[in-house]
Amino acid sequence: MRNTWPNTIARKAILDFKAYDARGGISNALHLDANESPWRPPPVKSADNFNRYPEQQPTNLCARLANLYGAKPEQIMVGRGADEAIEVLLRTFCEAGEDSILVCPPTFGYYETCASIQGAGIIKAPLNPDFTYDEGLIKSKMRTAGSALKIAFFCSPNNPTGNAINPQIVEEICAEFSQTLIVIDEAYAEFSGQDSFTDKLEKYPNLVILRTLSKAYSLAGVRLGAAIADPRIVNLMLKVLPPYPIARPVEVAVMNALTPAAMPIHAARLKLWMSERARMETALTASPFVKTIYPSEANFLLLEIVEDEKLRRKLREYQIKIRDFRQSLQDKMRLSIGCPEENDIALCAFGVNIPVTNPQRTAEAHRKTKETDIAVRVNLDDPSKISVHTGIGFYDHMLEALAKHGKFGLVLSCEGDLEIDAHHTIEDCALTLGTALSAALGDKAGVGRFGFTIPMDETLANVAVDLSGRSAMVFKGIFPTDHAGGFPAEMCPHFFESLAQTLGAAIQIDVQGANTHHMIEACFKGLGHALAPAFKRDGIEIASTKGVL
Ligand SMILES: *Cc1c(COP(=O)(O)O)cnc(C)c1O
């Protein structure tokens, strides 16, 4: 065992000791083994199992991340951020005073920090002047270092330069230095066009991938990241990782943020984020303070600055913090990409004149119960993205028609208990959609009250809506059959009632026809048409004599 890789490169102390074995978790047994309290802490609600130690590697969490990253659960070590994975790698493999790591500066500083704390040596193979990886230099340094080099860190896309590593270099290095751990830090992989190296793990057992939920998944405050590697490497690292690193509320927060319904929201945000990166890259060329903008595959831009003192004053004036690298990198600063409104303010500080536009009215709503898990994102000012998945084809079609005719963007995803029936899914989607639309309307500046008459073959629907802030729903119509597709006709009025409730609207519908499908469709389309002018922003006047709606 001792002579087989990766044991040959692990610290002797790690091989010698037996792993601490009080590792938490809950089974059906009577738990009288860990000196825990038998009572839940007050308040009892939502503190499920807080009295019990968690598993060292919570099973559900590992399964979820394995699925997210296209890996197997046994290839994953979850920790408190990717930072903890870096620390554990150093503590597992680098003997103090003997072993070393390789880094390619300028890069993420925590590799060096952990090496210094562990007493490991630091070998540097700096990036080329254009920030690409210097393949020749890396290989020659690694050959010279020999077996004392335990870990080589490559950040891709690299922080702070934003560029990704050429995958061919990684494969060559993995193959040539098969005893050394080749760590690819993919903290920003979601923002990059380049594929993750995860699918190369089977081919190269010495490859270790780092991932984090802190950046693309909006969970920096929750602290969760992962190392993905050969299970033998993971098992050695688990000996070093503390017994209970993942607090139960952390597991809950992560599982809630990564529910299947939430994933389209993450995807929509990512798309917006990257389009904002492109916008900033173009807009900043007009800044008097920016000499060079380095191309980025991450959620930040590295900038070469001129007149830095003047820029610093402007940033202070606008109360904007950006990362200053001038100590280590000549004239460089790193600007994170924010949401459109934040980026507009940043552009002002950078002295870029941008046309004054109203911020887009967007909102997200997430509703999770035992019956349904729903995430909704709406954009009242950009109808280009409409994507609906409820599990009921007919309902998807109706909601898409509502958004299309309402001229608003809609991403809606629902995992509902359709094995029971369609009721919860239809009602809860309506409630969540109403909540999101209401939030996006904000103070309702410029919106109005409208109606629409829509004929569809033999059907005629009259739909009127008043975004009054008061909920009411009146429905007149008799359906000739009790279903259309998988959609129960009785749920049609119930949908509008639920929507009116959370949207804060009065909705009145009068529909006549001889075909249930046409009648329901006309109601949804008609409401869309009535909402389109109601949502439209013409100036800032409020369409009520009272001045508020
Ligand atoms: C932010 C960052 C990390 C740390 O991520 P956490 O999961 O928050 O610890 C790791 N590597 C790089 C390159 C980063 O930029």
Side-chain angles (χ1 to χ4, degrees), residues 81-83 86 108 111 155 159 185 187-188 212 214-215 223-225:
D83 283 350
I86 295 166
F108 189 52
Y111 316 132
C155 187
N159 179 3
D185 185 341
Y188 300 97
T212 176
S214 298
K215 313 281 162 53
R223 308 302 304 132
L224 201 100

Side-chain angles (χ1 to χ4, degrees), residues 159 188 215 273 276-277 280 284 296 298-303 320-323 325 333-339 342-344 346-347 350:
N159 179 3
Y188 300 97
K215 313 281 162 53
W273 217 335
E276 281 296 290
R277 178 180 73 201
M280 293 298 279
L284 284 169
S296 170
N299 64 338
F300 54 79
L301 293 171
L302 187 70
L303 307 172
I320 298 173
K321 284 189 186 176
I322 75 171
R323 186 67 181 265
F325 281 98
M333 295 193 191
R334 190 190 65 195
L335 174 69
S336 301
I337 306 297
C339 64
E342 293 173 330
N343 297 333
D344 283 348
L347 286 174
F350 273 86

Side-chain angles (χ1 to χ4, degrees), residues 39-52 248-249 252:
W39 301 285
R40 288 176 190 180
V44 171
K45 204 169 173 320
S46 84
D48 289 7
N49 302 325
F50 280 12
N51 53 324
R52 300 290 175 199
R248 287 196 184 279
V252 172

Side-chain angles (χ1 to χ4, degrees), residues 102 104 125 133-143 154 165 169 173 177:
L102 177 119
C104 301
Y133 284 84
D134 188 340
E135 190 179 351
L137 183 64
I138 292 167
K139 285 180 180 166
S140 78
K141 294 253 178 175
M142 289 181 76
R143 284 178 197 134
F154 303 100
I165 194 168
I169 301 182
I173 291 173
F177 303 96

Side-chain angles (χ1 to χ4, degrees), residues 43-96:
V44 171
K45 204 169 173 320
S46 84
D48 289 7
N49 302 325
F50 280 12
N51 53 324
R52 300 290 175 199
Y53 282 113
E55 292 170 276
Q56 188 198 27
Q57 294 284 282
T59 308
N60 291 336
L61 190 60
C62 288
R64 182 69 192 92
L65 288 197
N67 175 278
L68 183 69
Y69 295 132
K72 301 191 187 106
E74 63 270 24
Q75 291 176 310
I76 290 206
M77 185 205 83
V78 293
R80 289 163 287 198
D83 283 350
E84 184 160 52
I86 295 166
E87 186 195 329
V88 169
L89 277 168
L90 260 297
R91 294 210 284 157
T92 306
F93 290 98
C94 290
E95 213 74 74

